[in-house]
Amino acid sequence: MPQVRANGIDIEYESFGRERDPLILFIAGFAAQLTFLPEALCQGLAAKGFRVVRFDNRDIGKSTHFASLAAPDSRALMAEVMAGKRPAVPYSLDNMADDAVGLMDALGARRAHIAGASMGGMIAQLVAINHPARTKSLISIMSTTGRRDLPSGNPETLSVLFRPPNGTSRDDLIDASILVQKALSGPGFPLTEAEMRAAAARAQALEFIERSELKFDSNVGERGRMLSGGERQRLSIARAMLKDPPILILDEATSALDAVTEAKVNAALDEVMKGRTTFVIAHRLSTIRNATRILVFDNGRVIESGTFDELVAKGGRFAELAKAQFMVQENVRAAIAPQEVGSDAVKI
């Protein structure tokens, strides 16, 4: 990504759209890199005729870092602010607002729609206050003006936001980030443990979750590296059930499951697919047994189309695959059926 020199520092930025289009300058919040603003949103705005620029604030990402300046204690700063004092800091939000205007100068932009989220919203307000001639409009997202008569933030949420990570390892930083995201998600759409347990049970995931000491609060590592392939697959299915989306895309949804668990998960998938449009990509044909239409591809071309029964009746490529796979699975079901009747001896 390109960099410019502005306000005495190097600023990393990314631009979407044509240079001649009206500029939307997005300012990220506390400790957030430019990628905080989703690329799809940037591209969508560019398609609507805007130029969108997102950038790393100072001390973030690839912009200039003030490594020689010690980071202030955020809790101590908050205590001073709440006491009505003006704490001594290496630089202020006014300096960061000047960074944003300096970036506009470097890009040759006279005016811009200024947008910011969280702390970025505060910086955006200062751009509008200190540089009104450079501001076409102001968009302040999940931010505040700082007026004393406004309601203060939730104390529990603020405590999480300013709580330092337990350590400096990657896992410690990920855990801290998860706690912050939970705090910011708000109480509007809470998930009860009963709802999570029900989704996990339907996806055949509850047993291995219950085995963990911390259960639903367990750390599964980055990208779930502490789980088996089958466990990751079942958790993904559980999350899809909780999301309840109008369109569901399943790409090899049972590929990492053994035959016994696959049969149970297929029953759960049949239930979660009801009442919604579902696209299923599968080599295990049991996943698409009840599909309303099946397309068989070979080297990127559709060679057969129809329902499951219609394709089997044709006796073509799909019929050959179905015969081979279901012969194996019927043998597995026959072997485990006596153990599952009136017994919990079979554990998944």
Side-chain angles (χ1 to χ4, degrees):
M1 293 184 190
Q3 278 193 348
V4 295
R5 188 74 179 175
N7 199 30
I9 64 171
D10 295 319
I11 298 178
E12 181 93 357
Y13 75 95
E14 187 173 17
S15 179
F16 300 84
R18 298 172 299 186
E19 291 187 10
R20 67 175 182 270
D21 288 337
L23 174 64
I24 299 176
L25 183 68
F26 181 80
I27 308 173
F30 179 72
Q33 288 185 253
L34 58 85
T35 51
F36 178 84
L37 184 67
E39 183 172 334
L41 176 58
C42 297
Q43 293 173 340
L45 290 170
K48 294 292 185 180
F50 291 95
R51 181 188 185 188
V52 181
V53 171
R54 56 182 186 176
F55 67 97
D56 286 336
N57 287 317
R58 57 171 67 195
D59 265 332
I60 290 296
K62 294 186 177 180
S63 290
T64 294
H65 284 245
F66 293 82
S68 60
L69 302 176
D73 185 330
S74 56
R75 289 192 173 188
L77 287 178
M78 284 297 296
E80 289 188 55
V81 171
M82 296 302 288
K85 299 179 181 179
R86 190 178 183 89
V89 291
Y91 51 82
S92 67
L93 296 183
D94 286 292
N95 299 132
M96 300 178 77
D98 292 341
D99 293 345
V101 174
L103 175 59
M104 291 173 58
D105 290 337
L107 296 175
R110 190 174 64 85
R111 301 179 72 207
H113 301 283
I114 309 297
S118 189
M119 186 184 76
M122 302 177 193
I123 298 171
Q125 292 175 56
L126 289 172
V127 172
I129 292 170
N130 299 338
H131 306 276
R134 310 297 298 275
T135 308
K136 281 188 176 180
S137 67
L138 170 65
I139 307 167
S140 183
I141 306 167
M142 59 181 187
S143 190
T144 178
T145 62
R147 276 181 50 173
R148 298 299 177 90
D149 57 341
L150 291 175
S152 61
N154 180 284
E156 294 180 0
T157 302
L158 290 174
S159 174
V160 172
L161 291 177
F162 292 104
R163 183 185 307 161
N166 292 330
T168 58
S169 71
R170 188 176 183 84
D171 283 343
D172 286 332
L173 297 177
I174 290 172
D175 287 344
S177 176
I178 290 172
L179 289 175
V180 168
Q181 293 304 316
K182 281 184 176 180
L184 294 178
S185 64
F189 302 94
L191 280 176
T192 66
E193 184 170 340
E195 289 173 317
M196 291 190 290
R197 287 178 65 85
R202 290 167 62 195
Q204 304 296 310
L206 186 58
E207 184 190 1
F208 72 78
I209 292 174
E210 290 291 330
R211 284 201 305 264
S212 174
E213 181 180 354
L214 297 178
K215 296 182 173 52
F216 284 94
D217 290 323
S218 299
N219 175 15
V220 298
E222 187 177 9
R223 297 182 181 271
R225 60 179 173 80
M226 297 172 67
L227 299 172
S228 69
E231 289 170 343
R232 287 196 300 272
Q233 204 84 325
R234 283 176 275 173
L235 277 183
S236 297
I237 293 170
R239 292 184 64 182
M241 291 176 177
L242 288 170
K243 185 70 174 176
D244 194 27
I247 298 176
L248 190 64
I249 300 175
L250 303 174
D251 188 354
E252 304 291 359
T254 60
S255 62
L257 305 181
D258 59 82
V260 178
T261 306
E262 179 190 0
K264 294 183 178 181
V265 171
N266 278 334
L269 288 175
D270 285 341
E271 183 177 344
V272 77
M273 286 190 287
K274 289 178 182 176
R276 72 187 82 245
T277 301
T278 307
F279 297 90
V280 183
I281 303 164
H283 284 84
R284 285 193 177 183
L285 303 186
S286 62
T287 311
I288 54 174
R289 179 64 182 86
N290 298 321
T292 55
R293 187 183 183 195
I294 299 170
L295 302 177
V296 184
F297 285 82
D298 183 27
N299 291 323
R301 295 174 58 250
V302 176
I303 59 173
E304 293 178 333
S305 175
T307 66
F308 190 97
D309 292 334
E310 289 170 349
L311 290 173
V312 169
K314 287 181 181 179
R317 182 77 58 83
F318 182 88
E320 294 175 3
L321 294 171
K323 182 179 179 181
Q325 291 189 24
F326 288 126
M327 283 176 61
V328 173
Q329 293 187 4
E330 288 299 331
N331 290 339
V332 172
R333 288 196 185 95
I336 66 173
Q339 301 180 53
E340 289 200 334
V341 177
S343 169
D344 59 354
V346 178
K347 300 290 185 181
I348 307 302

